[in-house]
Amino acid sequence: VAKREGGNRVRLFQQEMGEQALARQRDKTDLRTAIETGQLVVHYQPIVDLATGAVTSAEALVRWQRPGTGLLGPDAFIGLAEETGLIVPLGEKVLESACDQAVRWHAEGRSLGVTVNVSTRELSNSGFLPRLERVLATTGLQPGRLTIEVTESVWADEPAMRSLVAVRDAGIRVALDDFGTGYSSLSYLQRYPFDIVKVDSSFTRALGNNGRTEGVIRCIIALADVLGAKTVAEGIETPQQADWLRAAGCSYAQGYLFGKPTEAASWDTRTSVAFPSS
Ligand code: C2E
Ligand code: MG
Ligand code: MG
Ligand code: MG
């Protein structure tokens, strides 16, 4: 009996594996269709200069308007896109939308930079630079208005690092996203210059209730300063966090306090925000 039950369990296991593989295959097909038929939507979140309150740029954050499901956040499909290579056409769509949007804003008299998340897998693809140059040429965006956000995983990938150096040589800014949450290497950090270091929300969330984290944030700001980079604090939700960061010398901030990611059509037209001081 035990033997037969074991066999059943194996069959059940195989069946579940088969179903998972099928679901994955379906998701992959759907995601490819989504990219080709315009189901991807790009939302924009304001980035604010902490010294002046000026809205200086917008981060492009992709969503998937999936039929029958609703609006999906990137955490639901970026992983699959990276594993399947669909991140390459997906990233190209986001880059096109974001550059196009920045040009539109500029034409409307709003001087905003745009910042786009790029996976290491995308950067290491040999077609990345030519695609980037084509998008800049077709949209007419000045390279200096574009920032590419990468994570620390880029350091483990030689071709991606080479792309990154070329990106910077082309006059595009490079930001290190989620700094301190991956494999930070001070040696890489000083060898490859970054323009911007983004302080991850896991640090800023602890502001006001963890003195140790406050010390760590001060060190990140000082380190960025030594390397000639600006800092952007992520996930700012309260005036107290903004005040603390401004006093600590952080250059920029983004978070729900200043604005949630929204479609370009409902973008807040204010060019600066007032800081409610705590
Ligand atoms: P990220 O680049 O670190 O983006 C910041 C995330 O924090 C965004 O989540 C944003 O909506 C959220 N956020 C911003 N302010 C606040 C706040 O005050 N409180 C809280 N609780 N959250 C806040 P989102 O849009 O879900 O994106 C998640 C991640 O997906 C991004 O993290 C980025 O790594 C990735 N991603 C987004 N768009 C793209 C894309 O086009 N390509 C690639 N490769 N990755 C993308
Ligand atoms: Mg980002
Ligand atoms: Mg981040
Ligand atoms: Mg993140």
Side-chain angles (χ1 to χ4, degrees):
V1 177
K3 203 174 169 188
R4 205 167 58 227
E5 268 185 5
N8 283 341
R9 235 173 266 142
V10 168
R11 264 193 299 282
L12 191 64
F13 178 71
Q14 284 170 339
Q15 192 184 330
E16 276 173 8
M17 286 301 287
E19 279 165 12
Q20 272 175 28
L22 267 176
R24 192 185 137 87
Q25 194 55 49
R26 196 162 50 235
D27 284 347
K28 184 182 166 184
T29 308
D30 287 0
L31 183 57
R32 177 176 292 120
T33 307
I35 297 166
E36 286 164 1
T37 63
Q39 290 170 20
L40 297 184
V41 196
V42 181
H43 283 191
Y44 296 89
Q45 185 178 35
I47 298 176
V48 167
D49 184 331
L50 278 171
T52 63
V55 179
T56 57
S57 59
E59 178 171 6
L61 295 157
V62 70
R63 277 93 180 87
W64 175 8
Q65 187 64 59
R66 189 174 189 179
T69 305
L71 196 65
L72 290 176
D75 290 338
F77 58 90
I78 289 290
L80 179 70
E82 287 175 342
E83 288 159 29
T84 56
L86 285 171
I87 194 69
V88 170
L90 183 154
E92 188 177 10
K93 288 278 180 203
V94 175
L95 192 64
E96 265 174 0
S97 302
C99 291
D100 187 58
Q101 188 55 52
V103 170
R104 277 167 204 269
W105 276 325
H106 194 55
E108 291 166 11
R110 273 179 256 170
S111 179
L112 287 173
V114 74
T115 172
V116 179
N117 295 282
V118 176
S119 297
T120 296
R121 171 94 196 250
E122 260 180 284
L123 264 180
S124 64
N125 182 284
S126 60
F128 182 78
L129 274 172
R131 276 197 302 278
L132 182 60
E133 276 160 11
R134 186 189 58 72
V135 170
L136 287 176
T138 54
T139 58
L141 184 70
Q142 293 167 17
R145 289 188 175 273
L146 176 65
T147 300
I148 296 290
E149 295 193 7
V150 298
T151 59
E152 290 149 313
S153 68
V154 76
W155 284 326
D157 192 313
E158 280 282 341
M161 277 313 306
R162 276 198 299 276
S163 279
L164 207 56
V165 171
V167 162
R168 221 166 161 264
D169 288 344
I172 295 159
R173 271 188 258 272
V174 176
L176 194 53
D177 205 353
D178 307 336
F179 181 72
T181 62
Y183 295 94
S184 303
S185 157
L186 295 182
S187 126
Y188 277 113
L189 198 60
Q190 67 165 7
R191 193 143 25 115
Y192 297 102
F194 286 87
D195 302 282
I196 293 149
V197 171
K198 297 192 83 168
V199 183
D200 192 67
S201 55
S202 57
F203 297 110
T204 56
R205 204 178 298 130
L207 279 175
N209 53 40
N210 189 328
R212 247 171 106 108
T213 306
E214 293 178 358
V216 171
I217 296 175
R218 286 189 200 281
C219 285
I220 296 175
I221 295 170
L223 180 62
D225 200 41
V226 165
L227 298 168
K230 302 280 187 199
T231 38
V232 178
E234 303 191 88
I236 303 311
E237 298 184 351
T238 70
Q240 289 77 12
Q241 287 172 311
D243 285 344
W244 189 93
L245 286 155
R246 190 196 307 111
C250 181
S251 325
Y252 304 97
Q254 75 186 104
Y256 297 166
L257 175 67
F258 308 113
K260 291 194 173 182
T262 55
E263 279 183 84
S266 36
W267 178 262
D268 189 334
T269 53
R270 284 176 305 168
T271 53
S272 70
V273 296
F275 291 122
S277 242
S278 52

